[in-house]
């Protein structure tokens, strides 16, 4: 470690940006662009239809108009566009029945990664412990750590469909526990937590005076028969829950960098007060561009239907290979493949790049419970055939490896 890094917070000093080492993660440094140049299918980016053009026409038009009208070069208020917030509040009420005051309970963020850090920021003092389900989105752990808190992983298990065992939470609560972070639906497992699970967690939060930060980035991509429940609606939770959402996943508009956070006005008052210093503001142009997506969001259902076909295709394909297994995800657009019998998951990620020209994510990045798993995004490419072709190449490579390991009969 260079001397200057000794002056840095240890949680930052240990981060790996890929400039001085080869980071294996596709979302760090220029790893992704180098792989794309090699013709690798990036099934590691949770970005619908990437790399193909996929902006819905009304959004495209609004984006062009927002530039042409000439005023988008100006700042917008750091708390976000009133018109957009009104539409978001109406949509939340329509979807969940939760009534928000758009001016008092909402803030627009430049994407939900920023929103998540901002949601955690006000609460974490050095040494505060945060319960985080494992596996889950890596930023849950990293955000807590860089703010000086202590992430406490709470294991979930494949045999439970990656759902929550409340006892695992209860036994980890200490007098330092401040918060629970939930990614619901979960990325990478695709589990969408049931009302009962949320009620049990809510009881724990209320009994122990805990804050609950819920990342609902994938709330729009929930398959038929699965209920998406907002923690903020569970009795007693509104006043202690901060919910983070985004246009990136369900709407497939990640490049616009627009997210939103909602909470009780006592909490939101502090977020409004600090917005200018913590997040600046989301792009003026982008906030105007996404407005049509809130006025008519019927395209989301078309996306979910497309994913439904891809979900079934991959489920049957991968489960037909000895040494590979996958559960049908409740939500999201990714498979969480168990490849333990084929070897170490990091090794298999590298093997698939060479053998199948496919990049997916090593499960180890999602927590200790992720070792031996791969996250594979099946929302990639606009055309289903391109996605299926990449899945088929993976399947062939898996079969070859299974054969080498004597797993084929
Ligand atoms: C669970 C989850 N939350 C948040 C994000 C960040 O999304 P964005 O910043 O584009 O809104 C991602 C992106 O992959 C995610 O998977």
């Amino acid at each position: 470690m260079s001397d200057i890094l000794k002056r840095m917070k240890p949680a930052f000093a240990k981060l790996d940006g890929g400039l001085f080492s080869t980071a294996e993660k596709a979302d760090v440094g220029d790893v992704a662009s180098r792989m794309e140049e090699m013709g690798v299918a990036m099934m590691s980016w949770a970005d619908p239809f990437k790399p193909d053009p996929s902006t819905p026409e009304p959004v495209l038009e609004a984006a062009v108009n927002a530039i042409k009208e000439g005023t988008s070069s100006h700042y917008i208020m750091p708390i976000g566009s009133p018109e957009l917030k009104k539409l978001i509040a109406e949509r939340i009420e329509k979807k969940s029945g939760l009534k928000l005051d758009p001016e008092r309970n909402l803030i627009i963020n430049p994407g939900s990664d920023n929103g998540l850090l901002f949601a955690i920021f006000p609460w974490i003092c050095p040494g505060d412990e945060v319960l985080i389900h494992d596996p889950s989105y890596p930023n849950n752990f990293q955000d807590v750590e860089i703010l000086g808190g202590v992430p406490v992983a709470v294991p979930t298990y494949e045999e439970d469909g990656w759902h929550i065992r409340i006892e695992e939470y209860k036994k980890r609560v200490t007098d330092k526990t401040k918060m629970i972070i939930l990614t619901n639906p979960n990325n990478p497992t695709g589990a969408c937590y049931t009302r009962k699970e949320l009620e049990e967690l809510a009881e724990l939060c209320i009994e122990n005076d805990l804050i609950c930060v819920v990342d609902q980035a994938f709330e729009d991509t929930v398959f038929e028969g699965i209920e998406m429940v907002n923690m903020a609606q569970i009795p007693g939770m509104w006043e202690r829950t901060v919910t983070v959402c985004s246009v990136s996943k369900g709407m497939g508009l990640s490049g616009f960098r627009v997210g939103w956070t909602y909470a009780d006005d006592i909490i939101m008052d502090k977020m409004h007060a600090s917005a200018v210093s913590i997040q600046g503001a989301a792009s003026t142009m982008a906030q105007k561009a996404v407005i049509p997506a809130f006025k008519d969001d019927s395209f989301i259902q078309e996306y979910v239907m497309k994913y439904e076909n891809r979900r079934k295709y991959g489920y049957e394909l991968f489960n037909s290979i000895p040494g590979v297994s996958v559960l049908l995800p409740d939500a999201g657009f990714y498979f969480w493949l168990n490849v333990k019998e084929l070897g170490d998951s990091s090794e298999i990620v590298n093997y698939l790049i060479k053998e199948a020209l496919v990049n997916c994510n090593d499960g180890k990045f999602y927590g200790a419970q992720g070792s031996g798993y791969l996250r594979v995004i099946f929302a990639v490419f606009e055309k289903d055939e391109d996605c299926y072709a990449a899945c088929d190449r993976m399947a062939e490579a898996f079969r070859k490896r299974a054969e080498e390991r004597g797993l084929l009969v």
Side-chain angles (χ1 to χ4, degrees):
M1 206 190 274
S2 96
D3 278 354
I4 197 73
L5 290 183
K6 288 188 191 143
R7 307 283 295 152
M8 196 179 268
K9 283 168 88 165
F12 269 88
K14 75 174 194 194
L15 298 177
D16 183 358
L19 293 179
F20 301 101
S21 64
T22 310
E24 299 283 328
K25 284 176 75 180
D27 60 357
V28 170
D30 67 350
V31 178
S33 55
R34 278 192 278 114
M35 281 196 216
E36 272 176 332
E37 275 167 30
M38 286 157 57
V40 173
M42 300 302 288
M43 299 184 94
S44 48
W45 278 77
D47 186 347
F49 315 123
K50 192 176 161 80
D52 299 321
S54 60
T55 319
E57 200 52 42
V59 174
L60 210 57
E61 250 175 58
V64 172
N65 290 341
I67 295 170
K68 281 196 174 156
E69 83 189 35
T71 58
S72 295
S73 50
H74 298 301
Y75 285 125
I76 196 162
M77 289 176 297
I79 59 174
S81 148
E83 186 187 358
L84 178 59
K85 289 198 288 181
K86 188 166 171 286
L87 287 167
I88 291 175
E90 283 168 10
R91 188 165 178 269
I92 293 171
E93 186 174 351
K94 206 166 118 202
K95 277 167 71 88
S96 67
L98 199 59
K99 279 192 173 51
L100 304 186
D101 178 338
E103 290 308 321
R104 298 180 70 85
N105 302 129
L106 267 167
I107 187 165
I108 304 294
N109 315 118
S112 63
D113 268 334
N114 176 290
L116 181 64
L117 185 64
F118 194 2
I120 302 170
F121 204 124
W123 312 98
I124 300 303
C125 304
D128 281 349
E129 292 174 8
V130 179
L131 302 179
I132 304 167
H133 50 116
D134 174 358
S136 76
Y137 189 50
N139 286 7
N140 294 343
F141 302 101
Q142 185 170 299
D143 286 359
V144 170
E145 240 185 307
I146 61 182
L147 293 173
V150 181
V152 177
V154 183
T156 57
Y157 303 94
E158 184 170 5
E159 71 243 41
D160 300 336
W162 303 106
H163 280 263
I164 282 165
R165 285 188 196 173
I166 193 67
E167 314 80 61
E168 296 285 4
Y169 278 84
K170 283 186 180 162
K171 64 186 183 205
R172 287 172 175 80
V173 174
T174 71
D175 55 3
K176 292 194 179 131
T177 311
K178 172 73 72 72
M179 175 183 284
I180 289 181
I181 300 181
L182 264 191
T183 304
N184 188 31
N186 192 16
N187 171 14
T189 62
C192 187
Y193 302 116
T194 62
R195 189 176 289 276
K196 182 169 175 282
E197 284 169 278
L198 297 183
E199 282 169 355
E200 286 173 349
L201 277 175
E203 203 182 317
L204 193 74
C205 285
I206 295 164
E207 260 175 35
N208 295 281
D209 196 15
L210 307 182
I211 311 307
C212 190
V213 167
V214 191
D215 177 348
Q216 294 189 180
F218 287 93
E219 65 177 0
D220 286 328
T221 311
V222 175
F223 295 104
E224 213 183 313
I226 306 291
E227 188 192 16
M228 172 67 210
V229 182
N230 288 12
M231 181 59 115
Q233 283 180 290
I234 305 285
M237 289 306 287
W238 168 249
E239 48 273 55
R240 56 177 70 250
T241 302
V242 184
T243 309
V244 182
C245 305
S246 171
V247 301
S248 294
K249 311 299 181 182
M251 292 182 171
L253 297 172
S254 60
F256 285 92
R257 311 306 306 132
V258 175
W260 62 96
T261 298
Y262 55 89
D264 183 71
D265 59 3
I266 295 174
I267 300 172
M268 194 48 69
D269 180 57
K270 308 304 166 202
M271 298 186 84
H272 281 193
S274 54
V276 68
S277 59
I278 293 180
Q279 68 173 14
S283 150
T284 308
M285 184 278 286
Q287 291 185 62
K288 290 179 189 169
V290 300
I291 279 177
F294 288 88
K295 288 189 172 159
D296 177 5
D297 65 4
S298 53
F299 65 101
I300 296 177
Q301 211 36 46
E302 288 166 33
Y303 292 175
V304 175
M305 280 156 65
K306 215 170 160 66
Y307 302 146
E308 176 61 61
N309 293 332
R310 296 181 183 196
R311 178 175 80 133
K312 282 191 190 133
Y313 185 90
Y315 177 75
E316 275 163 30
L317 177 72
F318 293 125
N319 279 320
S320 72
I321 303 164
V324 180
S325 63
V326 64
L327 300 176
L328 202 57
D330 301 332
F333 39 65
Y334 28 80
F335 291 120
W336 183 236
L337 294 183
N338 182 333
V339 292
K340 287 180 185 168
E341 285 184 60
L342 297 187
D344 176 76
S345 48
S346 319
E347 244 177 72
I348 296 173
V349 168
N350 290 326
Y351 167 78
L352 288 172
I353 294 172
K354 291 188 199 89
E355 198 68 31
L357 279 183
V358 168
N359 178 239
C360 53
N361 309 97
D362 183 357
K364 288 177 193 165
F365 292 122
Y366 301 85
Q369 293 296 97
S371 183
Y373 294 85
L374 304 178
R375 190 191 70 158
V376 181
I377 307 292
F378 58 78
V380 290
F381 300 118
E382 217 278 314
K383 288 198 186 88
D384 295 337
E385 306 87 84
D386 292 339
C387 173
Y388 296 156
C391 289
D392 290 347
R393 293 202 303 276
M394 281 179 77
E396 208 180 309
F398 283 145
R399 271 200 198 93
K400 190 171 157 194
R401 200 165 165 108
E403 189 170 11
E404 284 163 10
R405 301 196 144 224
L407 297 172
L408 292 192
V409 274

